[in-house]
Amino acid sequence: SQQGEEDPQALSIQEGENATMNCSYKTSINNLQWYRQNSGRGLVHLILIRSNEREKHSGRLRVTLDTSKKSSSLLITASRAADTASYFCATVAQFGGSQGNLIFGKGTKLSVKP
Amino acid sequence: DSGVTQTPKHLITATGQRVTLRCSPRSGDLSVYWYQQSLDQGLQFLIQYYNGEERAKGNILERFSAQQFPDLHSELNLSSLELGDSALYFCASSVGRWKSSYNEQFFGPGTRLTVL
């Protein structure tokens, strides 16, 4: 079953606007990671936030983590058409045969119109 | 370019057939992961190898198997194919020690499998 669930499923904005995507998860985590996937391509790692961190920045990306609410958000500021992609949060399986491996949500499809 | 290569890019085959997907990890990476991405199931972890040994198993069917060779490349074998096996199959690699949860994974471009 999916650990992370992104919200919204789809988001359409104009270039220059900010885009916010949310992720909720179910169990305790060591860290949470965000990945981007351009249509039909492989995933690209964006940022990792550890469970003892509340906020992290990387360029135009800002990630927050609220472990009490089991949620994270990814903010892309001043969006560009090139940011059009699907964005996934991923957590690490804590138990079972896939322990230590990433569990992905279903993703948010972001469309940035020029 | 992530440095992870996968072949072939596209594969079209018939039900009941067997196919082999190939992955070469980034230079120096010891861990290889296989994922399946389909519209209904999303991105699912299948299996991980670390330095030639199977380390973790996810939602991998018994009809599927994988191995990692001494040169660290990996192959995913899919047999008795069904229509529902049509999906994108990704390979990823990381430098990673076994079960390290902090390793960034680098994804290949994927193999799109179509089963007719």
Side-chain angles (χ1 to χ4, degrees), chain B residues 60-84:
Chain B
I60 188 165
L61 300 172
E62 285 190 13
R63 300 184 285 109
F64 297 0
S65 64
Q67 53 185 326
Q68 186 179 27
F69 295 87
D71 67 353
L72 300 177
H73 91 270
S74 178
E75 292 181 355
L76 179 67
N77 301 296
L78 315 176
S79 62
S80 303
L81 285 168
E82 302 174 359
L83 295 177

Side-chain angles (χ1 to χ4, degrees), chain A residues 2 30-31 33 35 37 40-43 45 48 50 88 92 97-102 104 106, chain B residues 33 35 37 40-41 43-45 48 56-58 90 99-102 104-105 107-109 112:
Chain A
Q2 300 288 358
N30 290 321
N31 66 75
Q33 303 179 34
Y35 285 79
Q37 182 182 30
R41 308 281 297 272
L43 280 75
H45 182 268
L48 180 153
R50 297 175 190 243
F88 296 86
V92 176
S98 56
Q99 183 184 0
N101 284 280
L102 294 175
F104 288 87
K106 294 206 170 183
Chain B
Y33 312 78
Y35 293 87
Q37 186 177 36
D40 53 344
Q41 294 293 322
L43 195 64
Q44 302 258 339
F45 165 70
Q48 178 202 2
K57 251 183 175 177
F90 289 105
K99 290 191 179 178
S100 171
S101 60
Y102 294 99
E104 172 185 350
Q105 293 187 20
F107 280 74
R112 183 173 292 280

Side-chain angles (χ1 to χ4, degrees), chain B residues 4-110:
Chain B
V4 178
T5 60
Q6 288 187 250
T7 56
K9 287 187 179 176
H10 302 276
L11 200 47
I12 301 174
T13 188
T15 54
Q17 295 298 305
R18 173 190 166 95
V19 297
T20 297
L21 312 183
R22 183 188 166 103
C23 168
S24 292
R26 289 189 324 154
S27 176
D29 284 358
L30 298 178
S31 275
V32 169
Y33 312 78
W34 286 97
Y35 293 87
Q36 179 196 59
Q37 186 177 36
S38 61
L39 282 174
D40 53 344
Q41 294 293 322
L43 195 64
Q44 302 258 339
F45 165 70
L46 295 178
I47 197 164
Q48 178 202 2
Y49 279 81
Y50 175 77
N51 203 21
E53 294 189 23
E54 180 186 307
R55 287 307 192 189
K57 251 183 175 177
N59 299 319
I60 188 165
L61 300 172
E62 285 190 13
R63 300 184 285 109
F64 297 0
S65 64
Q67 53 185 326
Q68 186 179 27
F69 295 87
D71 67 353
L72 300 177
H73 91 270
S74 178
E75 292 181 355
L76 179 67
N77 301 296
L78 315 176
S79 62
S80 303
L81 285 168
E82 302 174 359
L83 295 177
D85 297 328
S86 295
L88 264 170
Y89 290 84
F90 289 105
C91 164
S93 74
S94 73
V95 95
R97 293 199 56 80
W98 176 38
K99 290 191 179 178
S100 171
S101 60
Y102 294 99
N103 292 313
E104 172 185 350
Q105 293 187 20
F106 295 84
F107 280 74

